[in-house]
Amino acid sequence: MTEPLYSDFNGPNAKSNSQALLRGLYEGETADPYLVSFLDHCRRPEGLEDQPLEVDLEDHVSFWRKMGEHKGSKPHGLHNGHFKAGVAFNLLACCDTIFRSIPFATGFVPAQWCHLLNFAIEKKPGKIRVDLMRTIQMMNSELQANNKRVGKSAMAYAEKHNLIPKGQHGSHKRHQAIDLALTKRLTWDLLHLQRRPAGWISNDAKSCFDRIVHWVAIISLMRFGIQWRTLRSMFDTLMKSKHRVRTGFGDSDRVFTPPTLIPFQGCGQGNGAGPPIWVAISSILLGMMISKGFGFDFLMSISLAPLLADCFCFVDDTDVCQAAPSPDQSGESIVPEVAKALKWWSNGVRLTGGAIRPDKSFWYLIDFKWNARQGVWKFRRKGDFKPSLLPTMSEIAVELDDLDGTPVHLRWLEPDESAKTLGILMSPCTNRKAQLVVMQGKAKAWADQIQPSFLHQYNVLPLLRTTIQKTLEYPMALTFFSQQEWDQLLSPVLRAALPKAGICRNFPCAMVYAPLHSKE
């Protein structure tokens, strides 16, 4: 957003400068080492070309048949139900297909697209303070359909040409959040096995979709094969749009627009292309981290192939790891490298328009000591680190810039102090009780809600399988519960559900859990 970058990529030469940057020929001058690295990693690999993007009749019909009619859209104009009905008539479907294809082919922005409706929803139940809520932008149904098509095409192109680093698990095919959580758990176990000191920083970007600078998003998606004119249609719509606000008293008649000539930035929460846009941007940031040598490198046990684990990302939730090259180093000695790794990541996020939220970020200093009495290696706690090896005790905490530029310290957690990441309570030193307590609370809350309710017998077991069982299945790969603990965990669920299904609550569990063909 500073000059000359803003003018170079938003002025009359924006297209030529963007294409030059993709080829590594952009000649802008800057003294910021983070910006130099970022621009260098915007380069697209040799031999890759743009992919033409258009909508044919088959794609249009397939998309709207799958789209739910209840999905929200901007109320001024046609909604999803109109387009779903339209695909049943060939002439209407052909017309809608053409209308969607014109912006892709020409960069044209239809006037009816340039209206956005903003409304706030609770991030957490009961938290209704404005600064604790999330603002969703409802868009025109056609615009949203095109945005989703852009995101889908960009991800398919990136996966085909291996443009997404292995550390980014978000929006991938065959990638799930629980897989990334398991990878983190296995990495901690490997550090424990090798007794290598490491710094582990878990951070969260503040409203990352709302803070993305438009030209950065355009460059990132062009790197993923999307053509310039297609992206101009998407982002010119966001720049030109008039905003209304939805409240409990209805939608506002008055509109608001940017107070200056500089348009609002961000792709908007609820944008169908939002997650792929952040994957495209974070791929550049991860490339920066890899080029600087940050991470944890080791040899595969069987193939002896070298492997580097640097960052663990699921969309905007990121964990940065910086490990010592050998177990001979102390935990105190790697703190400067850990701080350097965080500084590179936080400054990379800043370059895209974003910021790190200190209140939702924390870090671990992983190191080990020999317990001669028990004959085992144990994690070192805060009191085990020697302040005499550090200039001051406060400098052991990693610093980053707050949203207003003020340096702040991240929370430094003990190795067994669990924190919620990817929906699971995790820590380098396994804390079995923390996750067990959370799951027991969810099981009891479900049972308390089901107990007084009226349900038909034939609805109870499907309800059981699709609600609380899925909740308890998700963290199962990372738990270390015994058979007795699982029985106690499921006891309130079964005692509430089985009688409503017409089954004795004292029925043997071996029969309750048995496959259907065994019950016949």
Side-chain angles (χ1 to χ4, degrees), residues 495-513:
R495 295 186 71 82
L498 291 182
K500 290 186 175 294
I503 303 173
C504 177
R505 62 166 55 93
N506 296 319
F507 207 61
C509 288
M511 294 299 296
V512 172
Y513 298 136

Side-chain angles (χ1 to χ4, degrees), residues 302-324:
I302 298 177
S303 64
L304 297 182
L307 188 66
L308 174 67
D310 52 343
C311 296
F312 302 80
C313 304
F314 196 85
V315 193
D316 62 330
D317 290 333
T318 307
D319 291 82
V320 178
C321 176
Q322 175 60 25

Side-chain angles (χ1 to χ4, degrees), residues 111-138:
Q112 64 267 28
W113 288 10
C114 297
H115 297 275
L116 300 179
L117 183 66
N118 301 344
F119 71 99
I121 61 173
E122 299 174 3
K123 283 187 176 181
K124 295 182 179 179
K127 302 290 185 180
I128 58 174
R129 280 179 45 183
V130 175
D131 58 338
L132 298 179
M133 301 179 77
R134 176 184 287 115
T135 300
I136 303 297
Q137 291 185 350
M138 297 177 66

Side-chain angles (χ1 to χ4, degrees), residues 185 188 364 379 381 414-419 424-438 478-481:
R185 175 73 266 167
W188 286 336
Y364 296 101
F379 285 88
R381 302 181 67 83
E414 295 282 13
D416 59 351
E417 190 174 349
S418 296
I424 306 174
L425 287 174
M426 301 176 61
S427 62
C429 181
T430 306
N431 187 340
R432 299 170 62 254
K433 185 176 180 180
Q435 185 62 34
L436 179 61
V437 170
V438 170
L478 300 175
T479 57
F480 301 87
F481 304 154

Side-chain angles (χ1 to χ4, degrees), residues 273-443:
I277 288 174
W278 183 252
V279 170
I281 293 175
S282 64
S283 296
I284 299 174
L285 301 182
L286 292 176
M288 293 171 55
M289 301 296 289
I290 294 173
S291 67
K292 293 300 176 182
F294 298 122
F296 168 41
D297 57 326
F298 56 94
L299 296 178
M300 302 287 285
S301 301
I302 298 177
S303 64
L304 297 182
L307 188 66
L308 174 67
D310 52 343
C311 296
F312 302 80
C313 304
F314 196 85
V315 193
D316 62 330
D317 290 333
T318 307
D319 291 82
V320 178
C321 176
Q322 175 60 25
S326 74
D328 298 328
Q329 286 188 244
S330 65
E332 293 89 341
S333 66
I334 68 167
V335 171
E337 284 299 310
V338 176
K340 183 179 178 182
L342 177 60
K343 198 165 188 64
W344 270 92
W345 177 258
S346 61
N347 277 281
V349 173
R350 175 183 58 83
L351 291 174
T352 71
I356 301 298
R357 286 195 58 170
D359 59 318
K360 296 183 68 174
S361 304
F362 53 88
W363 78 296
Y364 296 101
L365 183 55
I366 301 173
D367 199 7
F368 307 93
K369 65 178 182 179
W370 176 252
N371 188 314
R373 176 174 297 180
Q374 298 181 3
V376 294
W377 289 92
K378 289 195 171 184
F379 285 88
R380 294 175 68 184
R381 302 181 67 83
K382 291 181 182 179
D384 297 325
F385 292 97
K386 301 177 181 179
S388 60
L389 299 179
L390 299 166
T392 62
M393 192 60 188
S394 63
E395 291 189 12
I396 199 171
V398 185
E399 291 188 354
L400 53 79
D401 287 339
D402 198 356
L403 303 181
D404 60 358
T406 305
V408 297
H409 290 83
L410 287 185
R411 289 181 294 147
W412 178 19
L413 303 185
E414 295 282 13
D416 59 351
E417 190 174 349
S418 296
K420 190 175 183 179
T421 60
L422 300 174
I424 306 174
L425 287 174
M426 301 176 61
S427 62
C429 181
T430 306
N431 187 340
R432 299 170 62 254
K433 185 176 180 180
Q435 185 62 34
L436 179 61
V437 170
V438 170
M439 295 173 69
Q440 285 175 338
K442 291 181 178 180

Side-chain angles (χ1 to χ4, degrees), residues 207-224:
S207 305
C208 72
F209 293 167
D210 296 325
R211 298 175 63 100
I212 295 173
V213 175
H214 285 173
W215 75 261
V216 173
I218 291 173
I219 290 293
S220 302
L221 289 177
M222 289 179 68
R223 186 170 172 267
F224 276 14

